[in-house]
Amino acid sequence: MWRAARRLVSAVGAGGEGSAARSLFSAVSQVRSPRRCLRPKNVSSPRPLIGLRGKAVWPGNGERTFLRKVNIAAMPEINTDDLDEQQVQLLAEMCIVIDENDNRIGADTKKNCHLNENIEKGLLHRAFSVFLFNSENKLLLQQRSDAKITFPDCFTNTCCSHPLSTPLELEENKAIGVRRAAQRRLQAELGIPLEQVTPEEIFYLTRIHYKARSNGIWGEHEIDYILFVQKNVMLNPDPNEIKSYCYVTQEELKELLEKASQNEIKITPWFKLIAETFLFKWWDNLDHLKKFVDHTKIHRM
């Protein structure tokens, strides 16, 4: 029956009869295998399904694919009218959805991945944090712009973002996809030319898993790849991303952390966790970082 329905789809083409045939094929396919899904034309969907290959699958163009469900019953609708237009556009980017062991299980929008309502149901995505040091071993910090949707106006490490569910950034061998994403965002946020920091110059150290609320609506739940760069670079920051930036010594960073503890300034929760746990030890050994490499353990913080 399933083969007959498929032949019927091929025979009648894309017209109205084809739509009916595809609907029949969809019904037969669901009986044959609940993991298969036919996407008939002209059927709208409020949000993408999650494909095994890490891409969003939108019902509506007649393509059949295998799916794996992410355990979120329904994504909430959030009004973004009061948010920065440029930052809202970025909410449509497709992040990489993972399980607690960093195994890729699908993809979802940046918006859905950063809603506390979904985070509390377990939605977890892949991210990275870059720590860039100059030739004087000073660390480049940024202050996130007031336009940022999560943790605006907070001081943090050089660059923090997400690899996207695209072929180049999904590649997992030696975390090359994450390192490509870091190169992309170093240019987008800080204006660092692509040729000045290549993926090969980005050193992958380890991973941390953390969760934090920014406000009542937005938050973070990430497995964060810790990436180090040691290089002098040219900077031309995007003011929509970065409010200010500076290079700091260890002592200057300790002073900044003390100010944050007194609520004189704000810092991001992931930066606070990393600084209090690992950063100064790594910083003391910038020429010997290989002894701290751990690609097997995920530090739960």
Side-chain angles (χ1 to χ4, degrees), residues 220-238:
E220 296 281 3
H221 188 207
E222 305 176 329
I223 289 182
D224 199 12
Y225 284 63
I226 307 304
L227 307 174
F228 271 46
V229 179
Q230 295 173 259
K231 196 170 187 183
N232 292 331
V233 295
M234 295 173 56
L235 299 173
N236 183 25
D238 179 354

Side-chain angles (χ1 to χ4, degrees), residues 45-264:
S45 173
R47 58 179 299 272
L49 301 171
I50 306 302
L52 277 177
R53 293 176 176 82
K55 65 178 183 179
V57 182
W58 291 92
N61 68 358
E63 180 183 340
R64 181 166 51 89
T65 188
F66 289 97
L67 303 175
R68 177 180 294 173
K69 292 181 180 178
V70 174
N71 191 27
I72 303 293
M75 297 299 179
E77 290 297 324
I78 299 295
N79 189 323
T80 59
D81 292 346
D82 295 332
L83 301 177
D84 179 82
E85 182 179 354
Q86 183 173 325
Q87 293 296 321
V88 168
Q89 290 175 354
L90 295 175
L91 291 177
E93 293 180 336
M94 298 301 294
C95 293
I96 300 169
V97 176
I98 53 177
D99 64 18
E100 290 199 349
N101 294 313
D102 195 26
N103 297 308
R104 178 166 58 92
I105 59 174
D108 213 330
T109 62
K110 181 180 177 183
K111 175 183 176 182
N112 285 335
C113 286
H114 289 82
L115 289 172
N116 289 326
E117 183 172 343
N118 297 332
I119 290 171
E120 293 307 315
K121 295 174 184 176
L123 191 59
L124 174 66
H125 64 280
R126 190 173 289 164
F128 61 82
S129 287
V130 178
F131 294 76
L132 186 147
F133 299 83
N134 65 12
S135 58
E136 298 177 348
N137 287 350
K138 292 183 177 181
L139 173 62
L140 178 60
L141 303 184
Q142 64 157 282
Q143 183 182 18
R144 293 162 67 86
S145 79
D146 295 332
K148 298 292 284 185
I149 294 172
T150 59
F151 303 101
D153 194 40
C154 289
F155 284 89
T156 193
N157 50 287
T158 310
C159 180
C160 322
S161 191
H162 320 89
L164 301 180
S165 186
T166 62
L168 283 176
E169 296 185 10
L170 282 167
E171 190 173 341
E172 295 182 347
N173 184 36
K174 298 181 180 178
I176 185 62
V178 173
R179 290 186 283 130
R180 288 169 180 153
Q183 179 197 36
R184 172 177 57 81
R185 288 303 297 175
L186 284 169
Q187 181 193 47
E189 294 185 20
L190 290 151
I192 300 174
L194 293 176
E195 65 274 11
Q196 284 197 4
V197 177
T198 66
E200 292 72 26
E201 294 174 300
I202 299 173
F203 187 78
Y204 164 39
L205 199 56
T206 190
R207 293 169 290 176
I208 70 167
H209 177 189
Y210 78 95
K211 180 167 68 172
R213 282 179 169 248
S214 177
N215 57 29
I217 298 174
W218 304 99
E220 296 281 3
H221 188 207
E222 305 176 329
I223 289 182
D224 199 12
Y225 284 63
I226 307 304
L227 307 174
F228 271 46
V229 179
Q230 295 173 259
K231 196 170 187 183
N232 292 331
V233 295
M234 295 173 56
L235 299 173
N236 183 25
D238 179 354
N240 188 260
E241 294 284 343
I242 294 176
K243 187 174 183 176
S244 67
Y245 65 95
C246 60
Y247 283 94
V248 296
T249 64
Q250 289 197 31
E251 289 305 314
E252 288 168 337
L253 177 55
K254 289 175 182 177
E255 292 175 8
L256 185 144
L257 294 172
E258 178 61 26
K259 288 182 178 180
S261 71
Q262 301 296 324
N263 295 320
E264 295 177 25

